[in-house]
Amino acid sequence: MKALKVFALVTGIGLAFMIQDVSAREFADIYTECGLGAMIAPRNAAVAAATNVTWDLGTTAISSNITSPDTCQGGKEKTAAFIYKSYSSLERALAQGRGEYLDALLALAGCASAHRVDLIGNLRSSFAAVVEEPEYTERTRYQKAEALYMLFHRVVEERAGYYSCSIS
Amino acid sequence: MPEIRPGGKVVIRHMRRGRPFALILTLVTASAWSSDDWASDEPMAASRALELAAARKLHLHPQWCRLLHADPNGGRSEILSPEFFLASDGRESPQAELTATILGWFRPTRDPDQHPRCRFPARYVWLATQLDLPEPTAKTPGCPRFERWAQLDKLDSISVLMVSGYLGNPASSFGHSLLKFNYRAAESGGRLLDISFNFGALVPPEEPTLLYIYRGLVGGYQAGFSDGLYYAQDQVYTRTEFRDIWEYELALSPAERTMLVAHLWEIAGKTFTYVFLTKNCTYRMAELLTLATETNFTPRALVWYVPVELFHRLEDVSRSDRRAIVADVRFIPSSQRLLYHKFAQLRAEEVAAANRVIAAGTSDVEAVLEGLSPDQRREVLDALVAYYEYRLAAEGEHPEPTTRQAKDRILRLRLRLPPSTGPERQIANLPPPTDGHRPMLVGAGVETVAGRGRFFVRVSPYFQDLLDTPASPDRGLVVLDAQGSADSRGDARLDFLDFIRVRNLQTNRVAIAGESRLSWQVRLGLTRREAGAGDLIPELSIGGGRSVLLCDNVLAYAMANAAAHAEDGILSMEPNLGLSARWGAVRTAFDMVESYGVGDGDWRTRCRFDGRLPLSRNREIALGLKYGEGENAVQVGVNTYW
């Protein structure tokens, strides 16, 4: 019996690491292939503000649905882009435990509406643990977004059948 | 006209010459067919279509010219991208492009998404209403990429959004517009995941501001439409630039929506020449609406297409008997406005606690919140989370480390408490700028100056002062305001010319620690030091001070101005008091300046009273009383806005 418990524990930990490892690679690939890094406002903010500059016409793949390749149009890619670009709004929505940014995240991930409240609750608890980490403030935007992306996938995967998210 | 059926099938039916005729353009998932199965060998049908197009001069048809963004007389297209054209000379010749488009219908291809029917669906939607194109069969290739993107069967409506101007950058002061496709909220995840279309200039990074202004005015940039999920726009306009938005949801027919969506598919990623005054974002939006509805939304785009003009035009069409094109107008407040609203909802002790945290730092937040109930702590922490999110956005790409640390401390504390429950308190809607008058002013009337009568004329291409804007009663922006007058003896003069006049009054009733409450104003123009005499000389006046809302309709301000005159180098210090009030439709303003000449030590007093009584939305009686500097004047006239 004890051996069975140890086996289950090791398997669970291994699975969690595997999920994180896969998610981390996914996020890095999406960041690079779909140009997430170019989605932030141009350096000359005054110029951008003045002419409502478009700093890409779909050349940044993920920002354009029309001209971006199909490889950047999936649920995982859109979820990654959403987390990266909206990170501060997601932080705030998670703090409150509700909000349209959380609703949009779950919709992008194709999560069934029936258990979204439960999913948000789990995500919020897990996110709280991440924010408590001492180095959280010093992390870059990429690191924070990657961590949230991995966290989201872990929460979704752990109860995949219950949450029924299409990205799981 | 086309109709949409479940599954995204676009069905076009049209009546021609009394014979019912149905052409079904089916956009289906192209998973069970091979393009080799379909190849038209109908040279007769193609030549017949070309003959008919020539006979009807379809290349000169207004709708064809709109589809090509070409001169209405069959001239050159304004689209620069060669991939927009099927003919090698398609940009210069709408006729050549029409021929190539018709022939493209009959072209076989291996990749359906690259077939002209799928690259340019709007062209064929329109051509099907004009020509007897052969019916596709069950094996006709679909357009999977277009269908997947457009989701026409899930599209509820289309909105055009008016983004407010903001005075932090004068070139942004006139606002912006973009389109949004609204999908069914329950399925789509809400407005953040709607598709938005934005038109903007492609400006190189770190472009010097003066060069960018020059190139923007003379057409030195390319621009284009880019699509993306709406949250990207929300992040930029609402949460980074702190601009309010009014969403005008349009009541378009399914056929009109299809045309608009299909055409955006055609032009997304293609480049145009950007000209700030005329071929700007709003002009391009107006072009699209003109194409979709065949109602002209660009009649005034001769000198300057001010962004708000499109929305005035929408209101005009909506009020007319022809159709109610505006289904609804929704206000989307900026994150800054929401922050002040959040603080305004707090009780006094909660505001005090939040401000103590902001002022003293977040090292001992628990002690500050100790006397509050759990619900109050949650409210205060929610307000502080919103505050620090706002501060980080305001501090740009390199925020202060102390701000980031403070935000994260607050975030941790908030995450330790339960989630928020209960309804969210909605912010009051701000009336849209279209509730006021149109932007361009022409005024005329009579005045008595030093006892002598004069006739005056006043013009300005953009006139929105404190009395004008229901959306922003505490802001004024006037550009190129000029007045000339003449008396009965033919003595004519230019009385003044203000190149720009800006006034930004901070009237928030809730004080948030550290937030600037500075009101400011700037005026650059030509003025006379002595009334009615002397030359017009350049003057620059800059002032700062405080303002307060005495009640809902009365605003008062006190500023200290510094003014410099270019010709003689005179520097004046000018305390300035003012009052602005609205009583129903009547608007009044009083402004007093005590000017102290640093050089000559003289004091000069100037007072002005303005009263406006509207006769209609775009016409008003204007009364002006001026006292001081030897020029006491009474003015009565009529202002017309267009």
Side-chain angles (χ1 to χ4, degrees):
Chain A
M1 189 62 183
K2 183 178 176 183
L4 192 61
K5 287 182 182 175
V6 170
F7 176 77
L9 179 63
V10 168
T11 304
I13 292 172
L15 192 63
F17 274 110
M18 276 179 58
I19 291 169
Q20 289 204 41
D21 190 43
V22 167
S23 300
R25 280 205 306 276
E26 278 177 357
F27 189 84
D29 290 343
I30 293 168
Y31 182 88
T32 305
E33 292 170 10
C34 301
L36 298 195
M39 291 174 71
I40 307 303
R43 276 164 282 179
N44 190 335
V47 171
T51 55
N52 303 291
V53 162
T54 297
W55 48 93
D56 76 272
L57 287 183
T59 53
T60 302
I62 201 71
S63 70
S64 168
N65 294 322
I66 291 179
T67 59
S68 62
D70 290 342
T71 50
C72 292
Q73 291 298 319
K76 288 181 178 175
E77 290 79 10
K78 288 187 174 181
T79 303
F82 182 75
I83 290 172
Y84 184 75
K85 185 129 181 147
S86 313
Y87 189 82
S88 61
S89 299
L90 282 167
E91 258 188 348
R92 184 180 168 194
L94 284 163
Q96 291 190 307
R98 66 182 181 184
E100 57 180 350
Y101 272 85
L102 275 178
D103 293 339
L105 175 65
L106 269 56
L108 272 175
C111 300
S113 56
H115 306 294
R116 284 188 182 183
V117 173
D118 188 80
L119 196 164
I120 289 173
N122 277 336
L123 185 61
R124 184 172 188 264
S125 303
S126 301
F127 181 68
V130 171
V131 175
E132 292 284 352
E133 293 167 6
E135 65 275 11
Y136 180 77
T137 302
E138 302 312 317
R139 288 180 186 156
T140 64
R141 184 191 188 111
Y142 175 92
Q143 290 168 331
K144 288 180 176 179
E146 180 189 48
L148 181 55
Y149 178 82
M150 288 163 48
L151 172 68
F152 181 63
H153 271 267
R154 190 178 74 237
V155 169
V156 164
E157 294 279 351
E158 281 173 355
R159 299 183 75 184
Y162 184 66
Y163 293 141
S164 301
C165 299
S166 59
I167 61 168
S168 58
Chain B
M1 294 298 280
E3 56 186 80
I4 309 304
R5 293 191 176 163
K9 295 185 181 182
V10 178
V11 177
I12 303 171
R13 300 184 189 280
H14 64 268
M15 304 288 290
R16 202 166 60 86
R17 296 182 181 167
R19 271 192 306 123
F21 180 86
L23 171 67
I24 299 175
L25 173 65
T26 304
L27 307 176
V28 298
T29 306
S31 60
W33 59 270
S34 162
S35 61
D36 290 339
D37 294 337
W38 181 82
S40 172
D41 57 354
E42 299 189 39
M44 290 303 293
S47 65
R48 192 162 58 238
L50 289 172
E51 282 168 12
L52 203 54
R56 293 180 176 174
K57 291 185 168 50
L58 289 187
H59 64 285
L60 296 176
H61 194 287
Q63 198 68 338
W64 179 246
C65 295
R66 290 181 198 124
L67 282 164
L68 295 189
H69 293 263
D71 180 272
N73 297 317
R76 200 182 199 200
S77 169
E78 293 184 335
I79 294 180
L80 306 173
S81 306
E83 61 269 25
F84 180 73
F85 304 99
L86 291 169
S88 58
D89 57 343
R91 185 169 181 231
E92 286 72 27
S93 171
Q95 188 165 17
E97 188 63 16
L98 179 65
T99 300
T101 301
I102 292 171
L103 291 175
W105 176 264
F106 300 93
R107 188 193 300 176
T109 186
R110 287 197 169 278
D111 182 356
D113 287 322
Q114 293 305 311
H115 192 277
R117 279 194 303 106
C118 297
R119 289 174 60 198
F120 305 107
R123 296 187 191 184
Y124 293 103
V125 165
W126 176 71
L127 276 175
T129 68
Q130 305 294 318
L131 297 175
D132 193 3
L133 296 175
E135 277 193 49
T137 68
K139 291 184 179 177
T140 302
C143 302
R145 206 151 183 263
F146 170 65
E147 181 195 359
R148 194 167 58 242
W149 172 79
Q151 301 181 74
L152 287 167
D153 56 331
K154 295 179 185 172
L155 181 63
D156 258 357
S157 64
I158 294 176
S159 296
V160 57
L161 276 58
M162 175 165 57
V163 183
S164 69
Y166 82 111
L167 296 178
N169 185 323
S172 284
S173 299
F174 310 105
H176 181 56
S177 55
L178 58 149
L179 285 177
K180 186 163 74 73
F181 298 169
N182 307 316
Y183 294 91
R184 291 178 203 139
E187 301 167 17
S188 67
R191 68 185 182 103
L192 293 178
L193 303 185
D194 289 334
I195 292 179
S196 63
F197 263 87
N198 208 356
F199 182 84
L202 289 163
V203 179
E206 300 182 355
E207 183 91 320
T209 303
L210 287 178
L211 178 62
Y212 135 76
I213 291 173
Y214 170 74
R215 292 183 68 184
L217 287 172
V218 301
Y221 292 120
Q222 292 187 7
F225 285 96
S226 63
D227 71 312
L229 298 182
Y230 178 72
Y231 72 82
Q233 317 298 347
D234 185 68
Q235 287 292 309
V236 171
Y237 295 116
T238 306
R239 296 172 189 272
T240 302
E241 297 180 2
F242 311 133
R243 297 163 81 170
D244 296 318
I245 296 176
W246 287 268
E247 178 180 350
Y248 285 68
E249 185 179 358
L250 303 178
L252 300 177
S253 67
E256 290 169 335
R257 285 201 300 267
T258 299
M259 176 59 85
L260 184 52
V261 171
H263 186 56
L264 278 165
W265 174 262
E266 296 176 340
I267 62 173
K270 309 301 187 296
T271 55
F272 298 71
T273 299
Y274 180 88
V275 183
F276 175 73
L277 291 179
T278 52
K279 309 292 185 182
N280 53 36
C281 55
T282 306
Y283 179 80
R284 296 299 176 197
M285 299 295 158
E287 279 190 319
L288 294 175
L289 293 182
T290 301
L291 172 74
T293 63
E294 299 194 53
T295 298
N296 190 1
F297 285 95
T298 59
R300 301 179 198 276
L302 296 175
V303 176
W304 186 7
Y305 203 87
V306 182
V308 73
E309 177 57 33
L310 169 62
F311 299 89
H312 279 293
R313 184 81 179 120
L314 283 170
E315 296 271 0
D316 288 345
V317 172
S318 221
R319 277 194 295 270
S320 72
D321 291 334
R322 281 175 292 161
R323 65 179 298 175
I325 196 170
V326 177
D328 193 16
V329 181
R330 285 186 284 274
F331 175 59
I332 304 171
S334 69
S335 62
Q336 183 185 47
R337 195 177 293 280
L338 284 171
L339 173 69
Y340 276 90
H341 171 71
K342 180 76 180 170
F343 268 71
Q345 301 302 311
L346 298 177
R347 295 179 196 151
E349 64 271 25
E350 293 165 358
V351 174
N355 279 331
R356 264 204 306 280
V357 171
I358 294 169
T362 54
S363 57
D364 205 7
V365 179
E366 290 92 334
V368 174
L369 301 182
E370 198 171 8
L372 301 177
S373 70
D375 283 347
Q376 286 183 301
R377 289 180 204 174
R378 200 162 52 211
E379 291 291 325
V380 172
L381 288 171
D382 279 344
L384 287 171
V385 169
Y387 170 78
Y388 284 109
E389 183 190 4
Y390 157 78
R391 280 308 317 161
L392 286 171
E395 291 179 14
E397 287 187 42
H398 304 289
E400 294 292 329
T402 49
T403 309
R404 290 192 291 121
Q405 289 157 8
K407 184 268 290 178
D408 287 340
R409 280 198 204 104
I410 298 298
L411 192 62
R412 285 186 196 106
L413 289 173
R414 182 60 186 90
L415 282 165
R416 292 172 192 165
L417 298 180
S420 300
T421 56
E424 299 198 57
R425 283 164 283 197
Q426 298 301 314
I427 191 171
N429 286 336
L430 209 59
T434 48
D435 275 13
H437 59 68
R438 289 185 125 96
M440 298 189 187
L441 163 70
V442 172
V446 294
E447 61 179 3
T448 63
V449 179
R452 288 202 296 271
R454 299 180 72 83
F455 173 75
F456 73 89
V457 173
R458 188 175 184 180
V459 295
S460 170
Y462 192 89
F463 193 96
Q464 300 282 342
D465 70 7
L466 282 187
L467 299 181
D468 289 319
T469 316
S472 302
D474 49 3
R475 294 182 183 181
L477 173 62
V478 177
V479 175
L480 293 176
D481 183 13
Q483 177 177 298
S485 65
D487 64 17
S488 58
R489 294 176 295 181
D491 172 35
R493 70 182 188 207
L494 178 64
D495 294 322
F496 66 84
L497 169 59
D498 284 347
F499 298 112
I500 188 163
R501 202 163 67 237
V502 185
R503 183 173 274 159
N504 186 21
L505 306 179
Q506 289 294 339
T507 55
N508 285 308
R509 285 180 165 152
V510 176
I512 299 179
E515 283 297 288
S516 171
R517 305 202 72 182
L518 177 70
S519 297
W520 57 269
Q521 57 191 7
V522 174
R523 177 181 158 268
L524 174 65
L526 302 176
T527 190
R528 298 177 196 279
R529 288 288 290 165
E530 295 297 329
D535 296 329
L536 286 167
I537 53 175
E539 179 179 275
L540 172 65
S541 171
I542 299 174
R546 287 295 180 96
S547 58
V548 62
L549 270 175
L550 299 176
C551 61
D552 283 347
N553 296 318
V554 181
L555 181 156
Y557 57 87
M559 305 269 209
N561 300 332
H565 299 261
E567 187 181 82
D568 49 11
I570 287 180
L571 182 66
S572 306
M573 305 305 294
E574 302 180 338
N576 173 206
L577 297 176
L579 199 70
S580 168
R582 297 168 187 251
W583 284 285
V586 176
R587 290 125 43 209
T588 59
F590 174 77
D591 188 89
M592 183 174 80
V593 173
E594 284 286 345
S595 178
Y596 173 75
V598 174
D600 57 17
D602 285 344
W603 285 94
R604 298 177 183 83
T605 301
R606 299 196 306 273
C607 297
R608 185 179 177 99
F609 172 82
D610 286 289
R612 311 242 183 96
L613 173 66
L615 300 173
S616 65
R617 180 181 288 257
N618 292 305
R619 187 159 291 147
E620 64 193 9
I621 295 174
L623 170 69
L625 305 172
K626 286 192 291 187
Y627 169 82
E629 293 188 309
E631 184 173 281
N632 301 333
V634 178
Q635 251 186 10
V636 177
V638 175
N639 290 340
T640 301
Y641 299 93
W642 57 285

